[in-house]
Amino acid sequence: MHSQKAILITYPDNDSINEALSLSESADYSIIDIVKQKHLTKSKFGIGSGKACEVKEIVLKNHVKNIIFDEVLKPSQQYNLTKLCNVHVIDRERLILEIFEKRATNAESHIQIKLAQLKYDMVRTKEKVRLAKLREQPGFFGLGKYDADISLLDLRTRITHLQRKLKKEELRKKMYRKSRSKSGFPIVSFVGYTSAGKTTLFNRLTGETKNTGGGMFTTLSTFTRNVNLRDGKILLSDTVGFISKLPAYMIDAFKSTLLELTYSDLILLVIDINQSISEIKKKLRSSMVVMNELLIPMTKVIYLLNKVDLTTIEDAYEKFHNLKIADSQINVLPVSALTGYNLEKLKSLINDIVFPNQYSLLIQKQHNRENKTGIKL
Ligand SMILES: Nc1nc2c(ncn2[C@@H]2O[C@H](COP(=O)(O)OP(=O)(O)O)[C@@H](O)[C@H]2O)c(=O)[nH]1
Ligand SMILES: [Mg+2]
């Protein structure tokens, strides 16, 4: 699939930029210019009028059809910016919904995501009804009061219908899980915050397998691939990832995209270790809350301290110890998706955990080598 060109409007700090870039990429947009602004909640366009005109110039110069706006826009702001620049304006929530939609892998997540989309539309339709009633903007979006009321009613009916469907689907879910775990191959899934480096690691691990010879590599979907390890084949799976400032009405949809984790044999929890300890703590804590709710045992986790090329191994371990994860059997490995550092060791560790017969022999070996490898088993 071809990615579409887009201009990104986001906040000036690096975390915001990186997250917005990763989200845009996940939704298949290639960002050709970034407009950084301290304030994205101004009344008319979200950004100031002068800046909005600059954005229009960038759009014209680059023949771009999309603007990604890293904040939630009101319908009137979205309308104003669309009209000024004559392109699609995708606000932050819309972008996240587009990502979820691409990732829906089962019936439940399709319904959950559709529900979240309807709720997104509902908020906007309500705003239109309000504006139409105030007669502030007659014919706003071509919508009279009557039309707006009708579409609100229609949205409500569709939401009720989906909620009923969801109930039925929940009953079916248990059976689905059973059948998945019978597929035979161990399932290994990446989780972690957006821009931690999951997709880069995923590509790196599956890409390397691809280069080692024909027939070893199969694309099951864009996000799950078959990888050959020393003692057998695994299914490696990339996930949506945790997103900061996720609105409450999207949480169920988000969790449904993570259902695959519940039948994973091993979780690779990716941490961007080149961040402040407080940032890492905050992100890890909220990841753990979601994983607990999904009943994923933390014993099935390897912590990957990624982007270690940007710092030192010592710093990575120091930060990790600072997280005080209370678990007697922690698997932790500093890695770099960029340089490939420790990725062979990672494959070997995955292999030894998911193919346990060979693993028991290995524990003995690892005990002898523990200090040299840095892997704590
Ligand atoms: N320096 C460095 N950058 C990395 C590393 N891994 C990923 N990145 C960069 O971090 C950004 C986010 O990576 P991505 O794989 O999209 O993160 P995801 O949202 O977790 O899938 C991209 O710009 C990557 O190039 C790494 O090991 N070192
Ligand atoms: Mg990703």
Side-chain angles (χ1 to χ4, degrees):
M1 199 154 90
H2 280 298
S3 60
Q4 294 191 56
K5 288 199 284 183
I7 307 280
L8 170 65
I9 303 176
T10 183
Y11 291 104
D13 64 290
N14 274 337
D15 276 350
S16 296
I17 297 169
N18 287 337
E19 190 191 58
L21 279 173
S22 282
L23 290 176
S24 306
E25 194 181 277
S26 298
D28 247 333
Y29 292 100
S30 65
I31 300 301
I32 56 152
D33 209 340
I34 306 175
V35 177
K36 299 162 203 169
Q37 286 291 283
K38 255 199 182 134
H39 303 286
L40 297 183
T41 51
K42 293 196 172 167
S43 62
K44 195 170 178 193
F45 299 104
I47 48 178
S49 300
K51 206 71 200 175
C53 290
E54 276 178 41
V55 170
K56 183 186 178 177
E57 290 303 311
I58 301 172
V59 163
L60 282 173
K61 197 176 79 196
N62 295 288
H63 308 286
V64 172
K65 298 221 164 49
N66 305 285
I67 292 174
I68 293 174
F69 198 96
D70 191 19
E71 249 307 338
V72 191
L73 287 170
K74 288 185 184 145
S76 58
Q77 294 168 321
Q78 193 163 17
Y79 177 77
N80 293 336
L81 200 56
T82 304
K83 212 172 164 201
L84 177 75
C85 300
N86 199 22
V87 290
H88 290 291
V89 176
I90 301 129
D91 76 349
R92 185 181 166 88
E93 291 189 0
R94 179 75 239 164
L95 182 68
I96 295 170
L97 288 171
E98 284 186 16
I99 297 169
F100 288 174
E101 199 171 7
K102 282 193 197 312
R103 300 293 187 119
T105 49
N106 53 62
E108 186 187 341
S109 59
H110 277 291
I111 301 170
Q112 290 281 19
I113 289 154
K114 192 75 213 162
L115 262 174
Q117 283 169 343
L118 288 175
K119 284 175 189 165
Y120 175 92
D121 290 342
M122 184 86 135
V123 173
R124 276 142 193 84
T125 307
K126 275 185 182 159
E127 169 85 356
K128 285 178 204 165
V129 171
R130 191 183 67 80
L131 289 170
K133 278 183 181 158
L134 284 174
R135 293 215 207 112
E136 263 181 3
Q137 304 195 34
F140 180 63
F141 281 105
L143 212 66
K145 178 187 169 322
Y146 176 75
D147 295 330
D149 276 342
I150 291 293
S151 51
L152 207 54
L153 197 66
D154 179 46
L155 282 174
R156 287 207 178 103
T157 315
R158 281 157 69 192
I159 287 175
T160 314
H161 171 70
L162 282 176
Q163 277 166 340
R164 263 191 226 125
K165 237 171 123 179
L166 191 61
K167 282 244 165 63
K168 282 190 206 153
E169 204 48 53
E170 272 166 3
L171 291 175
R172 226 176 303 181
K173 202 165 70 183
K174 282 181 193 147
M175 288 163 64
Y176 176 74
R177 265 184 218 178
K178 273 185 198 144
S179 69
R180 250 319 268 267
S181 54
K182 274 184 196 156
S183 80
F185 302 117
I187 301 170
V188 179
S189 303
F190 281 108
V191 283
Y193 252 81
T194 297
S195 88
K198 295 178 297 298
T199 303
T200 317
L201 280 166
F202 175 80
N203 286 338
R204 192 89 196 201
L205 291 183
T206 56
E208 277 171 10
T209 311
K210 189 175 162 187
N211 294 336
T212 57
M216 299 173 85
F217 167 87
T218 325
T219 305
L220 300 171
S221 82
T222 325
F223 312 110
T224 302
R225 286 178 195 164
N226 212 319
V227 177
N228 263 19
L229 296 178
R230 192 176 58 240
D231 296 322
K233 198 176 271 187
I234 60 159
L235 301 182
L236 193 64
S237 192
D238 191 10
T239 67
V240 165
F242 301 101
I243 298 165
S244 63
K245 298 183 280 180
L246 193 69
Y249 76 92
M250 285 193 194
I251 288 172
D252 286 339
F254 166 67
K255 282 184 196 156
S256 72
T257 69
L258 291 181
L259 276 179
E260 245 155 299
L261 295 182
T262 61
Y263 40 71
S264 291
D265 298 274
L266 181 64
I267 310 278
L268 307 175
L269 204 165
V270 186
I271 298 169
D272 177 350
I273 206 67
N274 188 44
Q275 286 184 309
S276 68
I277 186 73
S278 60
E279 191 70 20
I280 296 172
K281 267 188 186 159
K282 191 180 76 191
K283 288 180 174 171
L284 192 67
R285 203 174 299 136
S286 55
S287 313
M288 299 253 193
V289 169
V290 177
M291 287 170 73
N292 271 334
E293 281 177 40
L294 289 169
L295 302 175
I296 299 159
M298 293 310 286
T299 46
K300 293 200 302 191
V301 173
I302 300 179
Y303 296 87
L304 296 179
L305 316 180
N306 191 34
K307 308 198 188 182
V308 81
D309 56 287
L310 298 173
T311 173
T312 61
I313 310 283
E314 292 72 34
D315 178 55
Y317 273 118
E318 197 185 313
K319 279 176 175 159
F320 186 75
H321 287 307
N322 229 314
L323 298 173
K324 298 192 177 60
I325 296 165
D327 190 336
S328 56
Q329 288 206 319
I330 299 174
N331 284 302
V332 52
L333 196 62
V335 294
S336 167
L338 200 74
T339 66
Y341 175 73
N342 261 351
L343 294 190
E344 279 308 315
K345 202 177 269 181
L346 171 60
K347 278 196 203 168
S348 168
L349 185 59
I350 298 170
N351 179 84
D352 298 338
I353 293 174
V354 298
F355 301 110
N357 288 341
Q358 288 84 350
Y359 183 50
S360 50
L361 279 173
L362 199 104
I363 288 179
Q364 222 124 47
K365 279 198 235 158
Q366 287 286 1
H367 264 300
N368 304 335
R369 287 204 321 241
E370 194 176 288
N371 287 339
K372 267 183 264 168
T373 60
I375 305 166
K376 306 232 166 21
L377 288 160

